[in-house]
Amino acid sequence: MISEIKTEEQLLNELAGLRQPATELETLETEHKRVKEQTAEIEELYGKTVELSPDSILTVDRKGVITSCNTSATRMLGYAKDEIVGKHFSELGAIQFRDLPTYLELLRSALGEKATESLELTFSRSNGTFLLADVRVSLLKLGGKTILQSTSRDITKRKQMKEETQQLEALKELDRMRTDLLANVSHELRTPLTTIKGYTTLLLDYEQRLKPSEKREHLESISRSADRLTELVDDLLDMSRLEAGLMNLERIPNGISKLIQEGADEAKLRAEGHRIVLVMPKRLPRLNIDAKRIRQVLDNLIDNAIKYSKKGTKVVISAQRVGQELLISVADQGMGIPTEELPRVFDRMHRVEHRLTRMVPGAGLGLAISKRLVEAHGGRIWLESEEGKGSTFSFALPLDANGGCVRDEGL
């Protein structure tokens, strides 16, 4: 039997059918090779980028073992690469012990694919010196691999420069405050001195021509000016002693009711045209305090209320026991204090800038002294004010076993 003779076209088709599976395999191998080459290129590019980075870069596995580091990391930490790679980050010794939990939390957050914020951590170099670093940890997927990358930037100098700038600004502010103090003190000294000098000269030159009533009036002016000078000098000395920590408080049991009553009574004599109102229960605790200094605080607050409120308005002095504190307040119906000025009211040499306060005497020390005296007694002082509606200054003294309540006492 004669076999069927196939045409050339049939033979070629059969041959193509036999080669088809081999062609698909070749395609897969080619694609795999291409992906592998691209991955290698990406990894090489990543490696070069990391190596050239000025930041310290470490890669860490899921167990916290450092798998690689760049040259910047060795320079920043002072360790060789073989002293870094292969160690657990807690064994490296570069991260301070107190910062280890924070760094561990960064790693966990990154592994959970959560966005991590940069944090400031302290590192120690191999030579024992320290640096402050801005650290960020991120999870990278590179060529099918998951990389935990820790990037650190040395911000020690930047931080130092920022602190130095802040210190410089603080010194400038202090210099400005000193200049203001000198200006205020000079003005406060000059005014009573001018009065004393003027009336003294008048009495010496025209004694025979002056009536007895005129002489007395001039002498009273001299006396008031001398008192003002004494008050100013005392304020300056008190401020100096308080800041140097040289003021000794003579704390003994004292009746606070009597102290407040006397302060209110004397304020009525000083406050021309003001209505001084005292709101106080019949019985208040006796306290272990320096009565002279607490009275100084009360007088400062009362005088402040009188100076910054119009005649005919009320100044309310109140006292009450609130929990384990004795609360004393002085409220006025004056001009009030702008919100932006409130944080600085108790600062040394600070005076609220207002067109109505420019003619009010004072060197801006009274409230600062009051704050330090109250705090020296373990108390606190604060202000509530609304511009145009008046101010309330309050201070609280503790009634604890060491410095507080002895027993209740009436007037």
Side-chain angles (χ1 to χ4, degrees), residues 188-258:
E188 290 299 310
L189 287 172
R190 187 179 296 110
T191 301
L193 282 174
T194 300
T195 300
I196 292 171
K197 176 64 176 175
Y199 283 124
T200 301
T201 301
L202 187 63
L203 288 169
L204 290 173
D205 293 346
Y206 301 99
E207 181 184 3
Q208 302 301 324
R209 302 182 188 179
L210 295 174
K211 298 177 182 179
S213 59
E214 291 176 326
K215 291 180 182 179
R216 182 172 182 82
E217 181 182 343
H218 297 337
L219 287 171
E220 287 175 350
S221 295
I222 291 172
S223 179
R224 286 194 298 270
S225 296
D227 289 342
R228 177 62 193 136
L229 284 176
T230 301
E231 179 186 340
L232 180 60
V233 171
D234 286 344
D235 281 350
L236 291 170
L237 290 174
D238 284 346
M239 194 76 246
S240 178
R241 292 191 191 103
L242 285 165
E243 292 193 336
L246 299 177
M247 179 171 285
N248 295 318
L249 298 179
E250 298 178 3
R251 298 175 65 170
I252 59 174
N254 281 281
I256 195 73
S257 299
K258 183 179 179 182

Side-chain angles (χ1 to χ4, degrees), residues 15 25 38 47 64 122 209 220 252 271 283 340 371 400:
L15 181 60
L25 182 60
Q38 286 182 344
T122 303
R209 302 182 188 179
E220 287 175 350
I252 59 174
R283 300 180 68 84
E340 64 273 13
K371 181 176 186 293
D400 56 23

Side-chain angles (χ1 to χ4, degrees), residues 345-403:
V345 165
F346 293 101
D347 289 353
R348 179 168 58 93
M349 296 174 284
H350 179 71
R351 295 192 72 196
V352 177
E353 290 299 326
H354 194 288
R355 62 182 179 83
L356 298 178
T357 67
R358 290 170 189 163
M359 300 304 293
V360 177
L365 293 174
L367 292 178
I369 291 171
S370 297
K371 181 176 186 293
R372 285 163 173 78
L373 288 175
V374 169
E375 290 176 347
H377 280 80
R380 55 196 180 94
I381 188 169
W382 67 95
L383 163 67
E384 296 171 329
S385 183
E386 185 176 349
E387 194 169 7
K389 294 187 177 181
S391 305
T392 300
F393 284 88
S394 304
F395 67 97
L397 300 173
L399 306 180
D400 56 23
N402 294 324

Side-chain angles (χ1 to χ4, degrees), residues 54-303:
D55 296 332
S56 166
I57 298 178
L58 308 175
T59 56
V60 185
D61 66 17
R62 291 179 178 272
K63 294 181 180 180
V65 176
I66 300 170
T67 56
S68 70
C69 70
N70 64 354
T71 301
S72 294
T74 63
R75 284 199 298 264
M76 189 177 87
L77 301 176
Y79 293 98
K81 283 191 177 183
D82 58 2
E83 294 177 302
I84 298 175
V85 177
K87 287 189 176 182
H88 191 274
F89 72 86
S90 62
E91 298 173 336
L92 182 60
I95 302 177
Q96 292 296 286
F97 180 77
R98 67 174 182 274
D99 288 340
L100 282 176
T102 304
Y103 188 67
L104 181 60
E105 187 58 34
L106 277 176
L107 295 177
R108 286 173 178 166
S109 297
L111 281 171
E113 298 189 12
K114 296 179 181 178
T116 61
E117 297 181 357
S118 61
L119 294 177
E120 292 181 4
L121 302 179
T122 303
F123 289 91
S124 59
R125 299 184 180 93
S126 60
N127 61 5
T129 59
F130 296 91
L131 64 93
L132 191 65
D134 183 76
V135 182
R136 182 184 293 275
V137 178
S138 54
L139 192 67
L140 304 179
K141 293 183 178 179
L142 187 64
K145 298 179 182 178
T146 299
I147 299 174
L148 199 58
Q149 178 178 286
S150 173
T151 305
S152 305
R153 177 171 297 178
D154 187 349
I155 59 171
T156 307
K157 290 184 179 179
R158 187 177 77 189
K159 198 75 173 180
Q160 288 175 345
M161 289 178 63
K162 183 178 179 180
E163 290 175 354
E164 288 172 359
T165 301
Q166 291 174 341
Q167 290 175 358
L168 180 60
E169 291 300 320
L171 288 173
K172 287 181 179 179
E173 177 65 11
L174 181 60
D175 184 62
R176 185 193 68 77
M177 292 172 68
R178 284 175 176 168
T179 301
D180 289 347
L181 174 64
L182 288 174
N184 287 337
V185 169
S186 297
H187 174 75
E188 290 299 310
L189 287 172
R190 187 179 296 110
T191 301
L193 282 174
T194 300
T195 300
I196 292 171
K197 176 64 176 175
Y199 283 124
T200 301
T201 301
L202 187 63
L203 288 169
L204 290 173
D205 293 346
Y206 301 99
E207 181 184 3
Q208 302 301 324
R209 302 182 188 179
L210 295 174
K211 298 177 182 179
S213 59
E214 291 176 326
K215 291 180 182 179
R216 182 172 182 82
E217 181 182 343
H218 297 337
L219 287 171
E220 287 175 350
S221 295
I222 291 172
S223 179
R224 286 194 298 270
S225 296
D227 289 342
R228 177 62 193 136
L229 284 176
T230 301
E231 179 186 340
L232 180 60
V233 171
D234 286 344
D235 281 350
L236 291 170
L237 290 174
D238 284 346
M239 194 76 246
S240 178
R241 292 191 191 103
L242 285 165
E243 292 193 336
L246 299 177
M247 179 171 285
N248 295 318
L249 298 179
E250 298 178 3
R251 298 175 65 170
I252 59 174
N254 281 281
I256 195 73
S257 299
K258 183 179 179 182
L259 183 148
I260 297 172
Q261 183 68 65
E262 290 176 350
D265 290 341
E266 292 182 19
K268 292 176 182 179
L269 299 176
R270 298 194 305 272
E272 297 178 3
H274 285 80
R275 289 179 291 152
I276 307 297
V277 179
L278 178 60
V279 180
M280 186 172 62
K282 292 182 178 180
R283 300 180 68 84
L284 282 175
R286 282 171 58 84
L287 302 178
N288 286 331
I289 57 173
D290 186 325
K292 176 184 175 183
R293 295 305 179 182
I294 294 302
R295 174 63 190 276
Q296 181 179 352
V297 173
L298 181 61
D299 287 346
N300 278 340
L301 298 186
I302 294 173
D303 289 344

